[in-house]
Structure formats: structure tokens, C-alpha cells
Amino acid sequence: MEDKSQELISVSMKIIMSAGNARNYADEAFECAKKAEFTKASKKMELAHKEITEAHNSQTHIIQSEASGVDYKYSPLFAHAQDTLMTISSEINCDEKLIELLKIFLSRKEDSNE
């Protein structure tokens, strides 16, 4: 059981780190978009998606292991990791929508200045 506990700690930290990296990239993307640097913002969002996918895949590994019979003891750290993953996934979705709104807003602003 100790071995499984260590695995859960390791995976939890991987989820938290990857999700945190994803949040940083999404924040950077939004900052780029505010300066109308949409190509750069898009690249940052791609990195955010890569990181959040890594976090999600780590979570999925544990869930699939549990579904196939591996017994994990409840872990507040894993619960925190899952919460972090879902929160940052939502933030990324919101950032994408906000960036699209910025594109529309800035293009209309340019059109009205002509």
C-alpha cells in the first residue's frame, strides 16, 4: 500500500505542476492578446493546452487504475490536484473566450477609426 501511496503523491504533484504551468501560459496568452499580439497568444494557448492535457492524462491514469482494481487510500493531495486541474481547465476556457472577444473588439475599434 505504501507503494501506491507514493504513486498517488507523485501523480498528484505532476497534476498540480502541469496545471500550474498551463495557467501561466494562459495568463501570458491573455496578456499578449491585450496587446493585440494574437499569433503569440495562440502559441501560448497551445502550450497551455499541452500542459493541461498532461495533467488530465495523469489524473486519468489513476482513475483507470482504480477502475481496474487498484485500491488507493483517500488522498487530500489528490483531491486538491483534481480541483486544481478542473479550476484551471475552466480558466483556460474562459481565457479563450476572452481572447476571441478581444479580437472582435479590437477589429471593430480599428474599423471605427478608419
Side-chain angles (χ1 to χ4, degrees), residues 45 49 89 91-101:
M45 287 306 291
H49 280 286
S89 289
E91 289 177 19
I92 290 170
N93 288 336
C94 288
D95 280 343
E96 286 179 321
K97 290 175 174 71
L98 288 170
I99 289 169
E100 286 304 311
L101 284 174

Side-chain angles (χ1 to χ4, degrees), residues 40-53:
K40 194 172 177 183
S42 178
K43 289 179 180 166
K44 294 287 186 180
M45 287 306 291
E46 285 177 22
L47 293 170
H49 280 286
K50 180 178 181 265
E51 290 285 345
I52 206 70
T53 298

Side-chain angles (χ1 to χ4, degrees), residues 27-92:
D27 287 347
E28 290 172 11
F30 187 68
E31 290 303 314
C32 291
K34 288 183 348 188
K35 296 182 265 184
E37 297 173 349
F38 295 111
T39 301
K40 194 172 177 183
S42 178
K43 289 179 180 166
K44 294 287 186 180
M45 287 306 291
E46 285 177 22
L47 293 170
H49 280 286
K50 180 178 181 265
E51 290 285 345
I52 206 70
T53 298
E54 285 181 28
H56 186 266
N57 289 343
S58 295
Q59 172 191 249
T60 300
H61 166 74
I62 295 298
I63 292 170
Q64 287 176 339
S65 293
E66 228 173 359
S68 67
V70 175
D71 188 30
Y72 293 100
K73 188 174 101 176
Y74 174 75
S75 167
L77 181 61
F78 187 68
H80 170 65
Q82 289 181 297
D83 182 49
T84 300
L85 170 61
M86 296 312 297
T87 300
I88 295 172
S89 289
S90 295
E91 289 177 19
I92 290 170

